[in-house]
Amino acid sequence: ADIPPSMEHKITFGITAYGTPDVVQQYDEDACPYESVFTDEGTNVNMPPENWLRIPLTGDWTSSNAKLAHRVYPIGLKEQQLVDETFDKMHRDDKMEWSTEPTPFGFPVFVAWRTVYTDGKPVRKGRVVVDIRGLNKISIKDAYPLPNMSDIIAATSGCPYITVVDAQTFFHQFPVAEEDRHKLTV
């Protein structure tokens, strides 16, 4: 559901906060000491190479019927422009590189649109998405329990505020192991 424009406010570091003016003011005061957490300076997480993201594949991935490469999705001029801008920025920020070797991996790109309110006016905002479902089918899955939805609802019952962090750009700050980068070819 769309949130009424009167509840949406831009505060420190470009954060979007929702609520009454006094609640938004409190969010702003709480965020100020943590500028480095809320700003993307185009850098990657500083971590040793042995901790970089790895993409382990199932032992029989080449004989499986998983479809790795997909047909390119048709996109319009506006979508292509957004894809180009997004990928150009990722190249400049050293979060994307050109493929130099042949690979059986290649995944299509599309744009997901949503409505946001800017200065009280609805604006469509696009997010570039890479469809890696083929890779997901042949990757060894992490095994960790997800919390039960009813437990989450019970834990938040009666809470006056719930905070959601959209970690869209933070996702791109984790380096991928050199030998696995070709598996993410777009």
Side-chain angles (χ1 to χ4, degrees):
D2 289 327
I3 296 172
S6 61
M7 298 293 285
E8 181 177 293
H9 306 276
K10 288 285 185 196
I11 60 173
T12 305
F13 320 126
I15 298 170
T16 303
Y18 299 92
T20 60
D22 57 321
V23 168
V24 170
Q25 175 65 32
Q26 186 63 53
Y27 286 152
D28 197 36
E29 290 173 14
D30 292 343
C32 279
Y34 305 101
E35 179 177 6
S36 64
V37 173
F38 292 102
T39 55
D40 179 9
E41 298 169 354
T43 59
N44 290 323
V45 173
N46 185 13
M47 58 190 338
E50 61 269 13
N51 292 337
W52 290 5
L53 176 67
R54 297 194 180 281
I55 306 170
L57 303 179
T58 59
D60 64 343
W61 75 269
T62 55
S63 63
S64 74
N65 291 329
K67 186 176 179 185
L68 292 180
H70 295 276
R71 183 171 56 91
V72 174
Y73 298 139
I75 59 176
L77 185 59
K78 188 174 183 181
E79 287 84 3
Q80 184 63 55
Q81 184 178 17
L82 182 59
V83 169
D84 291 344
E85 289 170 5
T86 302
F87 286 177
D88 287 348
K89 181 180 184 325
M90 290 178 73
H91 277 283
R92 282 191 309 273
D93 291 345
D94 200 27
K95 294 179 182 184
M96 188 177 221
E97 60 188 35
W98 294 104
S99 178
T100 58
E101 300 290 327
T103 180
F105 302 91
F107 303 104
V109 177
F110 64 93
V111 176
W113 294 95
R114 67 184 176 119
T115 301
V116 296
Y117 290 90
T118 304
D119 298 326
K121 297 180 179 155
V123 177
R124 285 188 41 153
K125 185 175 179 181
R127 179 181 289 185
V128 176
V129 180
V130 178
D131 183 358
I132 60 168
R133 289 179 292 181
L135 180 61
N136 290 340
K137 289 178 183 176
I138 62 167
S139 298
I140 296 174
K141 310 296 181 259
D142 289 331
Y144 54 89
L146 292 176
N148 186 316
M149 187 62 80
S150 60
D151 292 341
I152 295 171
I153 292 169
T156 59
S157 177
C159 293
Y161 308 106
I162 298 174
T163 302
V164 177
V165 176
D166 181 354
Q168 173 191 354
T169 56
F170 189 73
F171 175 80
H172 298 288
Q173 293 179 358
F174 285 97
V176 175
E178 298 243 356
E179 63 272 14
D180 288 337
R181 290 180 184 170
H182 74 100
K183 297 173 186 172
L184 297 171
T185 300
V186 176

